[in-house]
Amino acid sequence: MNLFERLYDEQEDVKVQFIGFTTEKARYDFGIVYTNMFFGKPLVVCMQTGRSTLMCAEEAENVEDIMKIFQIHCEDEAKDLSLFFSEKLPTMSFEAQY
């Protein structure tokens, strides 16, 4: 009995970058998975908490989203992460995907 409809089942060799760094107040360990899935947005995973999101450089500029996604309570820390991701992640072109 088939209870679900499979939407996709893809395999892909991907590039994964692991980055650990410290700021004045915290230590961060992230994995960034570069994939062709999800419109080419990298999957950013906090290795300490397991929180993850699909994010491009433009989205990383939103400090409030960074605070929510990674549950950061200090705005200065979120600004540091925003700057880091804005420089590290690729920019996305805004063209039709379908």
Side-chain angles (χ1 to χ4, degrees):
M1 187 164 155
N2 191 4
L3 298 176
F4 61 91
E5 182 179 344
R6 183 173 293 179
L7 297 176
Y8 58 89
D9 184 359
E10 298 289 328
Q11 270 190 295
E12 176 182 17
D13 291 326
V14 298
K15 175 184 171 190
V16 180
Q17 183 176 13
F18 295 100
I19 302 170
F21 59 94
T22 61
T23 64
E24 289 182 15
K25 297 180 182 178
R27 173 188 170 141
Y28 296 99
D29 297 284
F30 286 99
I32 302 174
V33 181
Y34 297 92
T35 175
N36 291 318
M37 297 292 292
F38 313 114
F39 305 107
K41 285 186 184 181
L43 175 64
V44 178
V45 181
C46 176
M47 304 304 288
Q48 295 161 316
T49 65
R51 291 182 185 96
S52 62
T53 189
L54 296 169
M55 185 186 308
C56 64
E58 293 85 0
E59 293 166 330
E61 293 174 2
N62 188 327
V63 174
E64 289 179 3
D65 282 351
I66 297 288
M67 291 178 78
K68 288 178 190 174
I69 292 165
F70 296 111
Q71 293 188 354
I72 297 171
H73 304 290
C74 175
E75 189 172 347
D76 288 339
E77 285 294 306
K79 286 179 182 178
D80 289 343
L81 278 181
S82 174
L83 179 62
F84 171 78
F85 287 132
S86 294
E87 293 174 355
K88 182 60 73 177
L89 298 175
T91 57
M92 302 302 298
S93 61
F94 295 103
E95 54 190 56
Q97 297 290 324
Y98 297 103

